[in-house]
Each structure stands twice: as C-alpha cells, then as structure tokens.
Amino acid sequence: MTAQVINADTDEPLEPPSEFIIKVQDINDNPPQFIEGPYRASVPEMSTVGTPVTRVTATDADDPVYGNSAKLVYSILEGQPYFSIDPNSATIKIALHGMDREMREEYLVVIQAKDMGGHMGGLSGTTTVTVTLTDINDNPPKFSKSLYEFVLPEDLAIGKPGGKVKANDRDVGENAKSTYSIIEGDDRGMFEIFTDSQTQEGILRLKKPLDFETKRAYTLKVEATNARFEPSSGGPFKDTATVKIVVEDSDEPPVFSKSMYVLEVNENAPINTVIGTVTARDPDATGSLVRYFIDRHTDLERQFNINVDDGKITLAKPLDRETDMWHNITVTAAEISRAIVAIRVMDINDNAPEFATEYEAFLCENGKPGQVIQTVSAVDKDDPIQGHYFDYRLVPEMLNNPNFTIKNNQDNSISVLAKHDTFRRQKQETYLLPIIVTDNGNPPMSSTNTLTIRVCGCSKEGIVQSCNVEAYVLPIGLSMGALIAILACIILLLVIVVLFVTLRRHKNEPLIIKDDEDVRENIIRYDDEGGGEEDTEAFDIATLQNPDGINGYLPRKDIKPDLQFMPRAGQHSGPNGVDVDEFINVRLHEADNDPTAPPYDSIQIYGYEGRGSIAGSLSSLETASSDSDQNYDYLREWGPRFRRLGELYSVGESDRET
C-alpha cells in the first residue's frame, strides 16, 4: 500500500509518498482432499508381502511453505491386516502372505490423509480403495467322480459321442481350461477324447466300430491337465479318473460267408436240381437260426427256389442258355426271432355291484331309535382304475319308510338304522328292505338287493335270545272266523285279568300270606302240546317231580317285600275307545316292576341231577380218556339261546391237543 500526508487546506503534500507492505499469514483452515477417489486396484493372488498395489494422492489448499498446514501423513482406517500404506508416499502394499482369490476375491480399504504432520489438531480427509485379487493358476483340475460308467450299443456309429467326463478347476478364465487324454486301457485305439471349449467337458467318442461278440467291456484311464502352467504355483496340475465302458449287444443282421456266390448249372438240368448252397450266420451271441429267401424282384420269372432252412438253391423251371446266359439273383437271410406278446383284457363296467354277502339283520324289540341294525357293504367284479365308489339308496317306494333309514359311512358301506322302538314280534316278525346299489362306472350299473331284518327278543345287554314268535304262532289250517274268535276270547280274558288285578291293587290288605294258603302251590304251567282229539290221556305231571326228593325235604325261604306299592290311577280311555294292546302292555309292565305283587322272591334249592336222559352227561369230567371222540358242534345250530353252551363245549383242534 502507498500513503502520503497532505495539507487539508492547500492539498499540498507535506512529505513524499511512503510504501507499506502487509503480508497475510496462512492458518490451517483447509482439510486434505482426494480429488481422484474413490480408487480401484488389482493385484495377483498369492503375492508376497510388500508387493505394491496402488498409490493414492491427496491435496491441501493451505500454504505448503509456512508451517505444517499442508504436510500430509497417510494411514489405513480399514483393510488391515491385509494391506499397509507408506505414510509419506501413500503407496498401498500387500501386508498378509497367501491371500487366495478362491477364498476371497475383493477387499475394501479406507485411506486417511491428515495434515499438520499427523499431529493433534490437524484436519483429515478419507477415500476408499477397492482391491481385487486377480487369478493365477494355483488350482489343479479335479474330476467330480473317480469312476465313470457308460453303456454303449455295439452299433454306435464312428465319431458319435459315447460319454462325457468333467474335471472342475477352481481357477477362472484361461487358468481353468483343461485338456483330456486317454493314458491307459485303449490298446486297440477304439476311443478318443476331446475337450468341449464351451463346457470344458471331455467328450468320449468312437474311432473304430464296437463288436459285442469280440469284447464286451473296456476300462480306460483318462487324464485332465491344465492348459496353462505356472512353475511358481507348484504342481502337479492334473488329475485322473477311470472310465468303464460296457458294450451292449445289438441285433445285427445275418452275415453271409461270401459277399458274392458264382454257381453253374447245365441248361438241360431237370427241375429241382440243386445248383448250390449259400450260408449265413447270426453274428449275435444268441446265434439265432437263419432263414433264406430269394428277392423276387431279381427273379421275376421264378426260375429258382431256395430252401428256407439250409440255403440250397434249386431249379424251378428249365433253363435255356441261348436265351439267358447269366441269371443274377439276390438272396436275403433273416433271423428267426421270437417274442412273448401279453394281451391284457381291459375292463369295462359290465357288472352291477351287489351285497358282499347274504345279510340277515336282527333287531331287538327293546332297541333304541337310531341304533345301527346292520352295516352293509357291496362288491363289484369290475376293476376300475380309479377304484370303486358305491351309491346306496332305498327303492323309490321305500323313500318314506316309517321303520328304517340308511346312513352313508363314506367308506363304500352304509348303516341301516331303526326309526323307532315299537317293533314287536307279534305284530311283524320279518321286514324286507330293498336297497339299490349303483357303481361309478361309465355307464353306471346298479342292482337291487334285499336286506332281511328279523325282530328278536333280547336281553337288557342287547344280546339276541330268541327270534321266533313262539306263543304267537297259531295252528295252520284254521279258518279266518276261527282265528278272529280265538283272538277275541284271548283279548276278553286278558281284560278280565287286568281288571281283577287292578281291583286287588286298590285294596289295602296285608301282604302276609299264610303258608297253608300259598297260592303258588296251585300254579302249574303246561308247556306241552296236545296230540289231537285222539289223545285222551292227560300229561303225567309226576314225571317232572324230583325223583330223589320223596325221601328228603328241601328248605324254602320266601322273602316278602317291605315296600308298599302305591296303586296307579286308572287310565281313562279316549273318545275312540281303548287300545287293548297298549293297555295290556302298560299293565304288564306295571306288574313286572311292582315289588309288592306276588310271586315273591323265593330261594329254592335243587340239589339233584335229573336221570334217564338219553343224551347223557355233557360234563367232560366223566370222560374215561383225555382224547374224547364226542363232537358238540351241533350245539352251534340250536340258535342264539345255546350260543354260550356251544362256545363252552365246541372245541377246536388246538384245544383237543391241549
């Protein structure tokens, strides 16, 4: 700057001009910057420690002359212990030995540049360097399998591929390329192997035709070698594998002993003269018989014949040398081949389904509504691929059946259910339930099967005891009027008995009965059937007496009830009269469940065994020997009441041996 003192009034200078110099001192107010970052660099894998990778450069806008504001120091924030950096020159180097590209190919290094010579208070800047390891040929090829097996037909054409082998190399690019060669097992020079440049596979192909009858198997040793080799990387860079080739027999045509036969015959030779013989053999291992034929396109006039079995050529027509001096015919040979032809008859839906067996269901009188009476399944002689599916339904006239219904079990079976619990044998002993079964064929087939349901008497546990009407069966041959009269008398008698019992219940008489007036002594039950009008002799009740009880006395203890049963109020009939059957059933139920009504519980002791039976004893304790010839299988035919007895006395072979 230039300055001068001037008189303010006259504007005249009071002194000559003076020069002032002002120098601006630099301070550290600019951080280092990497103008060219971020950086990318590469280095070969397995490089030695100290190998340079790349060099980075940072700039600082501060004065490099004044102080340390522009003096930079470099360091690594990330990338250790793989790399190091020179703090002054910023050269990045390899810091770890044996860095393998196949283990890790890329590294990210963070470089920091700090001014003030790296001291406290200095400013800093960072950049990233991506270091990639380049591949070297440090891995040998390796076959994926030690043994390869191929099956080649003997008629495989020359030059056709017969199999592929592959040696994998962890290197990339040119370092991964391999060449294949056959080093053992191909003395005849039958095979060759070349490398597919795209897939790096070894393609095995034929150089000579195969012959199953000559040699059926070959064992080769194949070697894969790297195309490039680096001595510094070590070795060897090759691998071997075994290739087993099995020759498969092919059906080859017969082969004639000669490719051309020249035969001679006189022109005046008689018909059927043997001119000559051709022979052919089957080159296959089976050695099939050969049959011979003349190609009639070459013998249009049919002047020659050939025996199909032995190849003898005979004269069929007279020859004239002056007409034709030469006859060229072609003979073919063919194998006699045999094959088993299995003809399967395909199924069509031509059989209707039917019940699996002749079902006979039993229904207990005391059953509950909705109980399962019988499970029914069906069978079909057809055999569809998708399996059977049967549809069950009642015949149309039985859709509103008041007694039974069916339920689908979703397993090709149904359950027959009872709709109510008022079944009685005296009303109807047998029910017939027609069921239609339809299959899922095309077209569907159906059949109507009838299920027979019998009403039976059962115990409280539901065990069938009797399925016969017994006392309700009337003699055959009675007229309708006689039947009505008998039924009317029975109903009248039952009404009188019920009224009598009802009147007695209303009386408050003591329940104690004198021993000499015990009414039970006067009750005699006759279960025998009369022999007709000619039978005038009464049944001798004495035969039922105990033959051994005349001389002895068996004690008898009556247990009289302590409860008093309150009589039930009489049932008033409706306006339409009384349902006699229901009335009798109600009264019978009350009488059976009345603990105060006779007969009382009585303990009788029967200490004797009957005599005179022609059946003899059923006890096995009286058998003289252990091997009894007595057979009790007939007990199974006596019905449900004798089922338990049949199980006790009917034994099998295993029980008899025991």
Side-chain angles (χ1 to χ4, degrees):
M1 298 175 61
T2 301
Q4 187 179 25
V5 179
I6 299 176
N7 191 330
D9 297 331
T10 62
D11 290 332
E12 293 180 359
L14 299 179
E15 62 180 0
S18 300
E19 185 179 71
F20 297 89
I21 298 176
I22 301 174
K23 187 175 182 180
V24 180
Q25 298 293 332
D26 184 37
I27 64 171
N28 188 21
D29 58 349
N30 291 280
Q33 293 182 351
F34 292 92
I35 304 302
E36 299 177 0
Y39 299 87
R40 297 191 67 88
S42 62
V43 64
E45 61 175 332
M46 297 297 178
S47 297
T48 60
V49 176
T51 301
V53 178
T54 188
R55 184 174 180 274
V56 296
T57 303
T59 59
D60 196 322
D62 294 326
D63 187 0
V65 178
Y66 179 79
N68 294 326
S69 298
K71 186 177 181 180
L72 303 180
V73 175
Y74 298 90
S75 62
I76 292 181
L77 299 182
E78 293 183 19
Q80 295 174 333
Y82 306 104
F83 302 94
S84 63
I85 190 170
D86 187 292
N88 299 317
S89 64
T91 300
I92 301 174
K93 302 177 181 179
I94 297 291
L96 185 64
H97 177 72
M99 296 178 65
D100 191 359
R101 184 200 66 84
E102 286 72 34
M103 299 297 295
R104 183 176 177 181
E105 185 177 5
E106 193 172 82
Y107 297 84
L108 182 65
V109 182
V110 178
I111 305 297
Q112 181 189 64
K114 191 173 183 180
D115 58 13
M116 298 295 293
H119 296 293
M120 294 289 293
L123 302 179
S124 63
T126 60
T127 187
T128 59
V129 181
T130 302
V131 180
T132 303
L133 298 182
T134 59
D135 184 61
I136 65 172
N137 190 15
D138 58 342
N139 291 281
K142 186 69 176 177
F143 282 102
S144 58
K145 296 189 296 183
S146 61
L147 176 63
Y148 293 85
E149 293 183 348
F150 303 109
V151 178
L152 305 182
E154 66 172 330
D155 57 354
L156 183 66
I158 295 176
K160 291 292 184 180
K164 297 179 181 180
V165 297
K166 177 68 180 293
N168 299 312
D169 195 324
R170 298 177 62 189
D171 296 324
V172 295
E174 293 294 327
N175 296 326
K177 293 182 178 181
S178 300
T179 58
Y180 298 87
S181 60
I182 300 174
I183 59 177
E184 290 182 14
D186 190 23
D187 300 335
R188 300 184 179 184
M190 302 290 293
F191 304 94
E192 65 178 351
I193 190 169
F194 69 96
T195 304
D196 189 331
S197 59
Q198 299 296 327
T199 62
Q200 290 299 307
E201 292 177 322
I203 310 299
L204 193 69
R205 62 187 178 185
L206 285 179
K207 290 175 61 179
K208 297 179 181 180
L210 298 172
D211 188 3
F212 175 82
E213 289 72 28
T214 303
K215 191 171 183 179
R216 301 186 179 185
Y218 296 87
T219 301
L220 309 178
K221 192 172 183 180
V222 178
E223 182 181 71
T225 307
N226 272 152
R228 293 182 60 184
F229 176 70
E230 296 182 7
S232 60
S233 301
F237 290 88
K238 58 185 177 180
D239 192 24
T240 59
T242 301
V243 178
K244 186 175 181 180
I245 299 174
V246 177
V247 181
E248 185 180 45
D249 187 23
S250 299
D251 189 12
E252 300 174 274
V255 178
F256 283 98
S257 59
K258 298 179 181 179
S259 60
M260 181 177 181
Y261 293 84
V262 178
L263 305 178
E264 295 178 350
V265 61
N266 296 326
E267 64 176 336
N268 60 349
I271 296 175
N272 295 328
T273 298
V274 176
I275 302 173
T277 303
V278 296
T279 57
R281 65 174 183 86
D282 183 12
D284 296 325
T286 56
S288 302
L289 296 178
V290 178
R291 305 188 72 180
Y292 303 90
F293 306 92
I294 294 178
D295 186 357
R296 293 304 177 183
H297 293 89
T298 62
D299 184 24
L300 298 177
E301 297 181 359
R302 295 183 176 269
Q303 290 183 316
F304 304 96
N305 289 329
I306 190 169
N307 190 302
V308 295
D309 297 322
D310 57 16
K312 290 182 179 180
I313 300 175
T314 58
L315 192 62
K317 293 181 180 180
L319 297 176
D320 186 4
R321 193 195 68 83
E322 287 72 25
T323 303
D324 289 311
M325 183 177 179
W326 285 93
H327 296 272
N328 296 321
I329 62 174
T330 301
V331 178
T332 60
E335 298 178 23
I336 300 177
S337 302
R338 294 180 177 86
I340 298 175
V341 180
I343 300 175
R344 180 182 179 183
V345 180
M346 301 302 294
D347 182 52
I348 63 171
N349 192 34
D350 57 347
N351 290 280
E354 57 187 12
F355 280 175
T357 184
E358 292 291 336
Y359 292 102
E360 184 176 13
F362 299 95
L363 172 64
C364 293
E365 287 183 315
N366 56 351
K368 298 180 180 179
Q371 79 172 76
V372 178
I373 301 172
Q374 180 71 44
T375 299
V376 176
S377 61
V379 295
D380 196 328
K381 295 180 181 179
D382 296 321
D383 186 18
I385 298 177
Q386 66 274 17
H388 286 294
Y389 176 78
F390 300 124
D391 177 62
Y392 300 83
R393 66 182 186 275
L394 298 176
V395 295
E397 55 269 20
M398 286 285 184
L399 291 178
N400 296 322
N401 190 312
N403 300 315
F404 306 101
T405 185
I406 60 176
K407 182 185 73 172
N408 194 339
N409 297 328
Q410 304 301 325
D411 59 353
N412 278 347
S413 68
I414 59 170
S415 295
V416 180
L417 311 177
K419 282 189 173 181
H420 56 82
D421 58 352
T422 58
F423 295 96
R424 296 293 180 268
R425 284 179 289 172
Q426 58 268 29
K427 287 185 178 180
Q428 185 171 347
E429 180 185 7
T430 303
Y431 293 87
L432 300 179
L433 186 64
I435 300 175
I436 300 176
V437 187
T438 306
D439 59 20
N440 60 333
N442 186 18
M445 302 288 289
S446 62
S447 66
T448 302
N449 302 262
T450 302
L451 176 65
T452 302
I453 303 174
R454 299 185 64 187
V455 182
C456 304
C458 303
S459 63
K460 294 182 179 179
E461 292 79 13
I463 300 175
V464 176
Q465 293 181 340
S466 175
C467 296
N468 297 324
V469 180
E470 297 177 350
Y472 301 101
V473 178
L474 298 175
I476 300 176
L478 297 177
S479 63
M480 184 60 67
L483 291 176
I484 295 175
I486 292 173
L487 290 176
C489 292
I490 293 174
I491 293 173
L492 181 60
L493 180 60
L494 291 175
V495 171
I496 295 174
V497 171
V498 172
L499 292 176
F500 178 74
V501 173
T502 304
L503 292 176
R504 288 199 59 185
R505 287 182 179 177
H506 287 285
K507 295 180 181 180
N508 296 325
E509 296 180 359
L511 298 176
I512 301 175
I513 302 176
K514 297 181 180 180
D515 294 339
D516 55 348
E517 296 179 359
D518 194 345
V519 297
R520 288 173 293 177
E521 297 179 357
N522 299 325
I523 299 175
I524 299 175
R525 181 177 179 182
Y526 294 89
D527 288 341
D528 58 300
E529 181 178 358
E533 295 180 356
E534 292 81 11
D535 187 6
T536 57
E537 295 182 3
F539 183 81
D540 187 8
I541 194 63
T543 58
L544 300 179
Q545 299 295 333
N546 181 7
D548 299 330
I550 300 175
N551 299 327
Y553 173 74
L554 298 177
R556 173 172 177 168
K557 298 179 181 181
D558 291 341
I559 301 175
K560 298 182 180 181
D562 297 330
L563 302 175
Q564 295 294 331
F565 181 73
M566 297 302 295
R568 181 180 180 275
Q571 181 177 357
H572 299 284
S573 61
N576 296 329
V578 179
D579 187 349
V580 177
D581 183 43
E582 184 65 21
F583 179 82
I584 293 175
N585 289 332
V586 172
R587 290 296 182 263
L588 181 60
H589 178 74
E590 292 179 352
D592 291 340
N593 293 277
D594 184 3
T596 63
Y600 310 123
D601 292 340
S602 178
I603 301 177
Q604 294 280 14
I605 299 176
Y606 297 92
Y608 62 92
E609 182 177 358
R611 297 181 302 178
S613 173
I614 62 174
S617 175
L618 295 177
S619 174
S620 62
L621 299 177
E622 297 180 3
T623 305
S625 62
S626 60
D627 296 329
S628 175
D629 296 330
Q630 182 67 32
N631 186 4
Y632 299 102
D633 292 339
Y634 61 88
L635 294 176
R636 300 180 182 273
E637 302 175 0
W638 285 9
R641 290 188 175 184
F642 296 88
R643 179 179 302 168
R644 182 59 179 169
L645 189 61
E647 294 175 355
L648 292 174
Y649 285 91
S650 298
V651 297
E653 290 298 327
S654 60
D655 296 331
R656 292 182 181 179
E657 293 176 1
T658 304

